[in-house]
Amino acid sequence: LAKTTQPISMDSYEGQEVNITCSHNNIATNDYITWYQQFPSQGPRFIIQGYKTKVTNEVASLFIPADRKSSTLSLPRVSLSDTAVYYCLVVPSGAGSYQLTFGKGTKLSVIP
Amino acid sequence: DAGITQSPRHKVTETGTPVTLRCHQTENHRYMYWYRQDPGHGLRLIHYSYGVKDTDKGEVSDGYSVSRSKTEDFLLTLESATSSQTSVYFCAISEIDNEQFFGPGTRLTVL
């Protein structure tokens, strides 16, 4: 499984756009990039997944360059409720069980 | 939210006692997982199951065993609890796609 590297922590003011970059130099051809969000005292929650270029949903956008060695999670206009830990994972595609490897994640603190 | 419950939600026990944590799902998902989360370590996979009576070890399986006799239940057993097993335990489920759904967690303290 490809290893990921992301910043340990980030601070942002309310209303700003936040970009969290993750590097995954050893990503395999069939791997997807997946992001999870975890609030204190809760289990992680899937927020977005992509393979290449750009993916957008109601929560976030995910930007993946052509070489796929990194990806950027973009959270538009953050609020205090976006304070959480964000995990970048590389996940093999295809059916079957798999082991998600959660690193330490990026602790995002949104400041009023 | 995916129908996943964990029981108990909190437990305090003493070193050397057996402990069983239960994960129950109502989604009929094939795959089930047990993770532990400790400060400074993120989440680490203990065991997982890919069907009834089909289980395999994860990254930190020593000291833990699991059983899955029904699709909806996945049990995690600590045969003889140690203080190093004090942690928050999360159960997760998934189907053939890549998204895992996590339960609310069980906070276990071993004194």
Side-chain angles (χ1 to χ4, degrees), chain B residues 47-89:
Chain B
H47 282 279
Y48 65 100
S49 169
Y50 46 97
V52 173
K53 298 186 179 178
D54 292 324
T55 65
D56 206 348
K57 296 178 180 180
E59 177 187 359
V60 290
S61 60
D62 287 348
Y64 301 95
S65 62
V66 290
S67 65
R68 191 170 178 199
S69 59
K70 299 184 290 184
T71 298
E72 58 267 34
D73 290 326
F74 193 33
L75 304 180
L76 177 71
T77 298
L78 291 66
E79 300 291 347
S80 178
T82 67
S83 58
S84 65
Q85 293 176 312
T86 292
S87 187
V88 179
Y89 291 86

Side-chain angles (χ1 to χ4, degrees), chain B residues 25-57:
Chain B
Q25 62 149 327
T26 58
E27 305 296 322
N28 202 37
H29 280 7
R30 178 178 176 184
Y31 305 103
M32 298 186 75
Y33 312 80
W34 277 108
Y35 292 87
R36 61 178 288 176
Q37 185 169 36
D38 306 289
H41 287 279
L43 283 96
R44 294 179 291 176
L45 182 67
I46 305 171
H47 282 279
Y48 65 100
S49 169
Y50 46 97
V52 173
K53 298 186 179 178
D54 292 324
T55 65
D56 206 348
K57 296 178 180 180

Side-chain angles (χ1 to χ4, degrees), chain A residues 36 38 43 87 96-98 104, chain B residues 31 37 40 48 90 98 100 102:
Chain A
Y36 281 75
Q38 185 178 24
Y87 296 96
S97 63
Y98 57 92
K104 297 180 181 179
Chain B
Y31 305 103
Q37 185 169 36
Y48 65 100
F90 287 101
N98 292 328
Q100 288 189 10
F102 285 79

Side-chain angles (χ1 to χ4, degrees), chain A residues 3-90:
Chain A
K3 182 179 178 180
T4 61
T5 302
Q6 54 184 122
I8 296 296
S9 64
M10 294 181 69
D11 293 334
S12 176
Y13 288 101
E14 276 192 294
Q16 290 187 330
E17 178 183 76
V18 171
N19 296 310
I20 305 174
T21 297
C22 176
S23 66
H24 26 78
N25 292 321
N26 297 323
I27 191 168
T29 302
N30 295 329
D31 289 342
Y32 283 78
I33 297 133
T34 305
W35 287 80
Y36 281 75
Q37 174 191 55
Q38 185 178 24
F39 297 114
S41 301
Q42 294 185 25
R45 180 176 73 108
F46 171 93
I47 51 175
I48 199 166
Q49 177 176 278
Y51 183 78
K52 62 180 178 180
T53 63
K54 176 183 175 182
V55 178
T56 297
N57 62 22
E58 65 278 6
V59 176
S61 294
L62 179 60
F63 299 91
I64 305 168
D67 66 6
R68 302 195 337 116
K69 293 184 183 296
S70 66
S71 58
T72 299
L73 175 73
S74 181
L75 304 172
R77 299 179 58 80
V78 294
S79 65
L80 295 177
S81 62
D82 292 315
T83 293
V85 178
Y86 292 83
Y87 296 96
C88 167
L89 294 86
V90 171

